[in-house]
Amino acid sequence: MTLSPLVHTQSLCPICLRSVEAFIVQEDDKAFMLKTCLEHGAFETIVWRGKTPMHEWVRTKERAFINHPITPIEKGCPFDCGLCSAHRQHTCTALIEVTKRCNLKCRFCFADALDAPNEDPSLEQLRFQFESIFKVSGACNIQLSGGEPSVRNDLDVIVRMGREAGFSFIQLNTNGIRLAQDEAYVKALKEAGLSSVFLQFDGVDDAIYRHLRGRALFEVKCQAIENCKKYGIGVVLVPTIVPKINDHHIGEIVRFAIGRSPAVRGVHFQPVSYFGRIPNPPKDEDRITLPEVMDALCEQTDGMISLASLQPPGCENALCSFNGNFLIEEGVLKPVTKRAACCSPESEKAEVGAAKAKAFVARNWSYQKQTPSETFSDWDKILSAIQNNSFSLSGMAFQDVWNVNLERIRDCCIHVSTAEGKLIPFCMYNLTNTRGESLYRDVKRLS
């Protein structure tokens, strides 16, 4: 076969986590990462596969500069995360892990969360993290994560604390079990200021949930959506896409979401990554790449979605994600966004992309529930109708130790807040080697 080099970058050894030289090479419609550790040998993995060529997807970008770096540069990327001054993008979303506990035992889990003893961070600790994020990143978007955040009974207090700290958009990352079972809990979260729910949602067939999550959950997901709708909390469905398990359900998930609009604001696809609970080296057929998800969206919706309506991000690295903005008209998606012509000579400014991304998420992932008592002007009603008819499709390919590209890490805009007040790029925080060891997270492998 003939391989054409596309990218020269740096990666990590999957065994020792040392920085190693890496190349991304192309063969037909596929791109592979090749890297070699002097101690542990050569590694190869698929990173791009589909109808959209990688070189046509990538856009040039003017880097942003961190105004208030937390950590000095001493060892070089990725060993000085915090953020350091070499990082090239501001925080769009900061994650705060409010617990390590979980009420599920999923096959795939970023955090390798357990039904652990109650070791939740105190409210004082969480207040410090809110304040630290605001000091470095300003009023970025906040996602409360875990573990499963809803195992905490004081989550409404945490939401209110975040609003008082200056964060206007706060989202809950959840499996939805408690939201389905405890309507009063949902009401309290709304009254505290919760904007949106990032709902684990892997398909419309319970066989998928039994395989990935260990139990039937489809009706639970539906009830969680209904309770969020009742109290005016926007929902984004978040499927983890695993080949041969639910990659054939991508179109069905989109149709389900459209049918639950405007409470459901969109779908955010996450191609499966291999870290935390799944440390073994995956085969190429165990992966689904971003362009394959985009191809499936077009094919499984019978052409309602086109590749031209899906575009690279303006914020993070182009290889990290895709997005498309639509309006729903009579149950059909009508594109608002259209991909710019390839090889555009104009360079995007990362700082501008970050500002647009934060505003888009805060505006479009929230739900404006109207009631008869509201006194909107006619113009307000028009604007509200347009917002509630908007619908987004997006996907983000999180990196694991096998395919990590440090250029992408430096462009990351999704950062995890630590107990010390640092901000760690999401993929780097969760990444684990073959022994379950991490550079930044205290990982405990299940036996």
Side-chain angles (χ1 to χ4, degrees):
M1 66 180 178
T2 303
L3 296 176
S4 304
L6 284 175
V7 176
H8 177 206
T9 185
Q10 290 175 300
S11 186
L12 297 176
C13 172
I15 298 174
C16 65
L17 294 179
R18 291 192 185 98
S19 178
V20 297
E21 191 175 36
F23 296 89
I24 296 177
V25 299
Q26 183 170 319
E27 178 198 2
D28 301 325
D29 63 347
K30 306 179 186 70
F32 300 86
M33 174 177 282
L34 310 178
K35 59 186 178 181
T36 300
C37 173
L38 294 179
E39 182 179 356
H40 296 109
F43 303 91
E44 175 183 330
T45 190
I46 190 82
V47 294
W48 197 267
R49 181 171 49 196
K51 295 178 181 178
T52 303
M54 180 186 286
H55 69 273
E56 292 185 8
W57 186 255
V58 174
R59 301 289 184 268
T60 58
K61 191 175 297 183
E62 285 184 45
R63 64 162 293 178
F65 292 89
I66 305 302
N67 296 324
H68 304 287
I70 300 172
T71 53
I73 299 175
E74 295 176 343
K75 300 177 182 178
C77 186
F79 308 107
D80 299 315
C81 289
L83 299 165
C84 78
S85 60
H87 201 76
R88 304 189 299 220
Q89 183 54 290
H90 298 298
T91 307
C92 285
T93 299
L95 275 76
I96 299 179
E97 296 188 335
V98 300
T99 184
K100 294 182 179 179
R101 296 181 290 147
C102 191
N103 51 7
L104 282 180
K105 187 178 177 181
C106 299
R107 179 178 172 188
F108 295 95
C109 178
F110 290 142
D112 199 3
L114 305 169
D115 185 14
N118 190 342
E119 299 175 350
D120 296 344
S122 68
L123 293 177
E124 291 74 16
Q125 170 65 47
L126 296 174
R127 181 177 289 107
F128 165 76
Q129 289 180 241
F130 278 122
E131 292 171 351
S132 298
I133 294 167
F134 196 90
K135 181 179 179 180
V136 175
S137 302
C140 62
N141 297 333
I142 294 290
Q143 187 178 100
L144 302 178
S145 190
E148 170 51 47
S150 67
V151 300
R152 290 191 67 140
N153 294 324
D154 59 354
L155 192 61
D156 60 326
V157 177
I158 297 169
V159 172
R160 188 170 285 108
M161 181 190 301
R163 295 298 294 258
E164 291 171 353
F167 298 100
S168 59
F169 181 86
I170 298 180
Q171 184 177 63
L172 171 62
N173 186 358
T174 180
N175 58 34
I177 293 174
R178 186 161 185 181
L179 302 191
Q181 297 174 345
D182 191 347
E183 185 179 321
Y185 191 80
V186 178
K187 182 174 184 288
L189 291 175
K190 175 63 177 180
E191 291 174 346
L194 186 68
S195 309
S196 176
V197 163
F198 211 53
L199 181 66
Q200 176 196 85
F201 191 95
D202 300 315
V204 298
D205 184 344
D206 268 328
I208 293 172
Y209 291 102
R210 291 189 186 97
H211 194 98
L212 295 180
R213 311 299 172 186
R215 55 179 281 197
L217 287 168
F218 178 62
E219 292 303 324
V220 171
K221 308 291 182 179
C222 293
Q223 187 58 53
I225 292 168
E226 285 302 309
N227 286 347
C228 288
K229 177 182 178 181
K230 180 174 182 178
Y231 292 101
I233 302 174
V235 178
V236 178
L237 305 185
V238 188
T240 298
I241 301 299
V242 185
K244 301 176 185 176
I245 296 178
N246 65 344
D247 53 339
H248 61 295
H249 264 242
I250 288 174
E252 288 298 318
I253 292 170
V254 172
R255 281 185 276 270
F256 174 91
I258 294 171
R260 271 67 179 180
S261 174
V264 173
R265 311 300 303 137
V267 185
H268 184 74
F269 294 94
Q270 294 181 346
V272 63
S273 299
Y274 292 86
F275 46 37
R277 196 156 287 175
I278 306 288
N280 298 322
K283 299 176 182 178
D284 287 347
E285 57 264 33
D286 296 327
R287 293 191 182 276
I288 181 168
T289 65
L290 278 182
E292 289 175 293
V293 174
M294 292 190 288
D295 292 344
L297 277 169
C298 300
E299 294 163 5
Q300 295 180 28
T301 57
D302 300 320
M304 178 172 59
I305 300 163
S306 69
L307 285 176
S309 63
L310 304 174
Q311 61 184 3
C315 183
E316 62 270 18
N317 190 287
L319 300 180
C320 291
S321 68
F322 70 82
N323 64 83
N325 193 21
F326 302 83
L327 289 176
I328 298 177
E329 296 180 4
E330 298 181 349
V332 176
L333 295 182
K334 301 294 184 180
V336 174
T337 53
K338 185 176 181 180
R339 193 187 311 175
C342 70
C343 307
S344 172
E346 295 185 7
S347 177
E348 298 175 315
K349 290 187 176 181
E351 192 165 4
V352 173
K356 288 181 178 179
K358 284 187 284 189
F360 177 87
V361 166
R363 179 178 66 251
N364 289 278
W365 284 5
S366 300
Y367 169 39
Q368 176 100 34
K369 183 175 182 289
Q370 297 187 38
T371 63
S373 62
E374 287 180 315
T375 56
F376 282 179
S377 68
D378 290 341
W379 180 242
D380 286 334
K381 291 177 182 178
I382 292 172
L383 291 178
S384 178
I386 292 174
Q387 178 179 338
N388 278 345
N389 284 333
S390 69
F391 188 90
S392 68
L393 291 173
S394 54
M396 180 160 286
F398 293 113
Q399 302 176 87
D400 52 47
V401 76
W402 309 99
N403 62 15
V404 61
N405 177 348
L406 296 188
E407 291 296 308
R408 288 176 58 184
I409 294 294
R410 285 187 276 268
D411 291 337
C412 178
C413 66
I414 302 175
H415 303 145
V416 180
S417 169
T418 71
E420 300 78 27
K422 295 181 179 180
L423 290 168
I424 312 297
F426 182 89
C427 293
M428 191 50 54
Y429 184 77
N430 288 291
L431 183 145
T432 52
N433 70 0
T434 55
R435 295 186 292 269
E437 299 164 338
S438 172
L439 293 175
Y440 292 102
R441 179 195 281 280
D442 180 22
V443 174
K444 296 179 181 179
R445 176 87 61 82
L446 286 177
S447 59

